[in-house]
Amino acid sequence: MVRYLLSLAVFCSAITCTYAQSLDDLAYFLYPNLESNDISFVEGIQTPEEFLGYRTGEWHITHDQLVSYMRYLASASDLVSLTETGSTYENRPLLLLTVASQANMGRMDEIKAEHAKLVDPEASRSLNLNDMPVVVYLGYSVHGNEASGGNAVPMLMYALAACMEPNFRAMLENMVVLVDPCLNPDGFQRFSTWTNMHKSLSAPNPDPQDREHSEVWPGGRTNHYWFDLNRDWMPAQHPESQARLKQFHDWYPNVVIDAHEMGTNGTYFFQPGIESRNNPLTPENNYVLTRKISQYHGQSMDNIGSLYYTREGYDDYYLGKGATYPDLNGGVAILFEQGSARGHAQDSENGVLTFPFAIRNQLTTSIGTLKAARDLRVDLLEHQRAFYTTAIQEAKSDELKAYRFGSEKDPRRAEALVNMLLRHQIEVYRTQDEKEGTFLVPLEQRQYRYIKGLFEKRTQFQDSLFYDVSTWNMLMAFNLNYDELRGRSFNKGMLGALVTDFLESKGSMNGGQSDYAYVFETHGYYAHRALYRLLKAGLRVDVSRAPFSDGENDYDYGTALVGVANQSLTSDQIYAYMQEIADEDGMNVYAQNTGYTQGVQLGSPSMAMLRKPEVAIITGQGVSPYEVGEVWHLLDQRMNMPISLLPNERFGRFDLSRYNVMVMVNGSYSFSKSQKEKLQQWVRSGGVLIGTKSAVRWLSSNDFTNVSFTTASKDDPEGRRPYEMARQYSGAQVIGGTIFEATLDRTHPLGFGFEDESIHLFRNHTTFMKLANNPYANPVVYTADPLASGYISDRNLEALGNTASVQVSSLGRGRVISLVDNPNFRAFWYGTNKLFLNSIFYGHFVSGATTE
Ligand SMILES: [Zn+2]
């Protein structure tokens, strides 16, 4: 690396700049990363400072400003093109910049098509890798309040567009650089507003206690619905991830960086992470290349005198993170973690950490990545080719040949999983008989490893500490029936049509218009959306607490009934609504011309009248924004139901009579005595209060319920241990995210619409709820030996067996529903959402005699 003293006078003639400060900016951020002092810039392209009017890191760039500058660079430079790949919930554009040499820009379609052959084992054999460009993807600030990444982008993009230093230009000769300037625009905008509005204008205030450094709840880390987008690469439930995956699979980048920030006292981390926690599905060569690339990052940081570390933190286990997903798709992904100024400057153990310093580190390692990709180009291309060739070979020798999965009564839930698989470019087929809601995924296809990653059950682990969940089996998360087809139980003749488009099947209208009544079963994922649609229209809707039959069809527990007489809508209007819930919500609606059904009749006291849910959720400091966001997203996005987000600090002032359902998720609630009494009074007068996870404990210890708990044995048979084992040992007692089996009572209102008594639950906590004395009060109970997939210590597993997951309690005329597990985890637990929705819709008519 050439070290040199910067002489502003020398550079000035070569550089297009309007004032001296720009020079300082370039000198600080960019020059140390250039390999000679033959530095010049394309004339006529504005620097970030010239365009934005402030120096890099002086303010936090807002997302709108970032977009403006990216658009400007794309228009000002022939070497940059911009694609708008989608938009966020808040309608901000998602961008992808493509940068390449002039010659390569002119043949980008050809390069892309050639590159795509690398992931096709049939086509990749004949490729001459020596001539092929390497594809690098640089992604920033998926966590919106980890802003140094997104703030490094203007300078990075300026350099890519305008810097003419010969080695820098030569580096790009055989490379396509894709830059995703901000993976989470909504969160990024939120944080920039917060930190800029608190900026001390005389000089940045590094006091960690200053308001600038502690955002108000929920902070800028997450997207609009407060989801962590760095967990969504696999579930792909949000528009940001969906747009990104489309680009990813169009390109299949060879190197991916994912730039984050960590605590303020941290220095700088880049992968490799903790190697004992590598995902076993990732080929060893991925780690060989990761280690080689890390040397470039080390050298780049040495060059600017910044401290860093590797290997002692973070891991590549969960396949749904930005720094791991590409590893299972033939690339090599690297996590960056910069100590966070969380504002413009903050005191740290390492002195004052300034925002420009953090930005410079991110820029420097990013350019280090480009250097690594330049030097390792052929190795990286070869890795990708071999990744897919060996994937097919491994699939051929795997005795597991295919997964068949589906749901007879709820095709939309199975289709939601199919849609997820399609986003990962996994081939999914219908069965030969084209049965709705049943699908086959053969393993012998290029995405073999990712299919294994999505569907495998794992209960043995090399390590017992996890940075994230230890399992995410999608067949279990969707609670689908499935078969693992081995050996001769599968042949290609079983495959029906290949699924080529996203699926969303309609329901059916049976028997035409009726002047008497309509019924529909509620197994469908969108049943509650249908119910809400009808209730909102002012219709009276019942659900049946007993099964019945009209002679032609049998109707299960929870079947909905809409009578035609004595409604506020006309027969024609009601018929139109029935068609709407069939088309939009996938309901199979059956017209009835007589109430004289078998089992119970349509006028039976077993029919329970629904009330239109008016739902509020308690939010604010101390409450998990993720879990509030999951509820908000489920209701607002999927069920078209508004929900009021009530800040807990103003709880005393709210008029609770507006609501008949209240939700408290995981969190610590510090209600005053009068606030508690107010909430109890609201329940007593008929409210349904739903608590999840730690809220279950709070409700119990504050006299809302009699729920009691058990704990795992604390006996420590091993006695004294070395100090350095402490973290490992306590970590092993954490349930970080594991899947368990439970049984569900389908005759209980909370079990209505489920197809089976067996259910999978997700758990990431150690609150164990004892069975109630009332034998009807626990509609969902863990089996005796419940582990289905993931990590749990023996002593926790012993404690968990035969405990309750759900308990219903009475308080006056109201009900308190304790859901000790989170049924809405990260928006991909489609299989348990119904428990939560049933609690909202049916909680009020659970018989008092069955509650604790
Ligand atoms: Zn992060």
Side-chain angles (χ1 to χ4, degrees), residues 518-774:
Y518 299 93
V519 299
F520 57 95
E521 292 189 303
T522 53
H523 303 99
Y525 184 77
Y526 293 101
H528 297 88
R529 186 163 79 192
L531 294 174
Y532 188 77
R533 204 188 283 275
L534 303 177
L535 293 166
K536 192 177 160 200
L539 287 166
R540 214 175 49 250
V541 185
D542 289 340
V543 293
S544 177
R545 284 176 281 205
F548 60 92
S549 168
D550 62 11
E552 269 179 55
N553 300 291
D554 296 333
Y555 301 101
D556 203 359
Y557 298 96
T559 294
L561 163 72
V562 180
V564 178
N566 207 22
Q567 296 272 20
S568 57
L569 303 185
T570 65
S571 170
D572 286 350
Q573 286 171 321
I574 295 172
Y575 182 57
Y577 270 108
M578 292 300 137
Q579 285 176 315
E580 202 172 309
I581 64 170
D583 288 349
E584 306 279 323
D585 306 323
M587 297 297 105
N588 298 318
V589 180
Y590 293 85
Q592 302 293 324
N593 295 315
T594 169
Y596 207 170
T597 45
Q598 298 152 28
V600 297
Q601 286 70 56
L602 297 187
S604 160
S606 290
M607 296 292 168
M609 197 174 84
L610 298 185
R611 58 189 195 190
K612 177 172 163 251
E614 306 290 349
V615 190
I617 184 165
I618 298 173
T619 70
Q621 209 62 45
V623 184
S624 163
Y626 298 127
E627 294 183 23
V628 172
E630 286 159 358
V631 171
W632 182 22
H633 173 264
L634 175 70
L635 297 188
D636 198 30
Q637 278 290 311
R638 298 224 181 114
M639 300 299 144
N640 294 344
M641 288 171 63
I643 176 173
S644 298
L645 310 172
L646 304 183
N648 57 8
E649 60 274 15
R650 291 212 297 276
F651 191 78
R653 282 183 254 159
F654 291 127
D655 169 13
L656 300 188
S657 69
R658 297 176 70 99
Y659 319 109
N660 52 29
V661 178
M662 187 93 62
V663 182
M664 296 174 76
V665 296
N666 199 44
S668 61
Y669 295 89
S670 45
F671 280 19
S672 68
K673 188 162 175 285
S674 67
Q675 288 170 343
K676 222 158 39 189
E677 282 167 3
K678 176 176 174 169
L679 185 58
Q680 277 166 345
Q681 192 46 47
W682 173 84
V683 179
R684 281 182 208 286
S685 62
V688 172
L689 178 56
I690 302 168
T692 64
K693 288 176 63 178
S694 70
V696 168
R697 258 186 205 284
W698 187 87
L699 291 168
S700 168
S701 51
N702 288 280
D703 303 325
F704 287 76
T705 70
N706 294 320
V707 168
S708 57
F709 303 92
T710 179
T711 50
S713 99
K714 288 242 170 4
D715 291 349
D716 188 349
E718 293 163 55
R720 189 169 166 265
R721 273 184 296 273
Y723 174 85
E724 69 166 5
M725 292 295 293
R727 198 167 155 262
Q728 185 77 18
Y729 196 80
S730 64
Q733 301 312 319
V734 170
I735 303 177
T738 304
I739 302 173
F740 299 98
E741 282 168 3
T743 55
L744 169 138
D745 178 359
R746 292 193 340 103
T747 73
H748 192 287
L750 266 51
F752 286 176
F754 280 90
E755 280 173 273
D756 295 305
E757 283 170 6
S758 167
I759 185 172
H760 285 110
L761 302 174
F762 176 80
R763 161 176 282 255
N764 56 359
H765 61 95
T766 52
T767 300
F768 306 117
M769 192 160 70
K770 278 188 184 164
L771 291 182
N773 294 323
N774 188 317

Side-chain angles (χ1 to χ4, degrees), residues 32 43 92 96 112 168 196 226 350 398 476 493 536 648 753 794:
E43 289 205 25
R92 293 195 171 81
L96 189 68
K112 201 172 185 177
F168 190 79
N196 286 335
W226 310 338
N350 302 305
D398 195 327
M476 296 179 181
K536 192 177 160 200
N648 57 8
D794 291 343

Side-chain angles (χ1 to χ4, degrees), residues 77-192:
S77 167
D78 295 342
L79 308 181
V80 179
S81 74
L82 179 149
T83 313
E84 225 175 284
T85 63
S87 56
T88 67
Y89 288 114
E90 293 175 19
N91 209 27
R92 293 195 171 81
L94 295 157
L95 305 184
L96 189 68
L97 286 303
T98 307
V99 188
S101 69
Q102 192 109 43
N104 285 339
M105 285 305 274
R107 56 180 201 100
M108 198 51 80
D109 289 344
E110 189 192 322
I111 290 174
K112 201 172 185 177
E114 231 7 47
H115 189 80
K117 290 182 186 170
L118 278 167
V119 305
D120 175 358
E122 292 298 313
S124 67
R125 228 169 300 153
S126 57
L127 293 171
N128 179 2
L129 305 184
N130 290 317
D131 298 338
M132 289 179 66
V134 65
V135 178
V136 181
Y137 179 107
L138 309 172
Y140 298 92
S141 296
V142 67
H143 294 142
N145 60 5
E146 299 174 5
S148 55
N151 278 268
V153 169
M155 186 58 81
L156 172 73
M157 282 305 304
Y158 175 71
L160 290 169
C163 178
M164 296 307 290
E165 189 275 326
N167 297 310
F168 190 79
R169 240 31 282 168
M171 180 172 73
L172 299 171
E173 282 294 300
N174 234 342
M175 187 183 296
V176 175
V177 185
L178 305 171
V179 178
D180 189 335
C182 179
L183 279 70
N184 175 12
D186 295 347
F188 191 83
Q189 183 80 8
R190 207 150 70 221
F191 180 67
S192 62

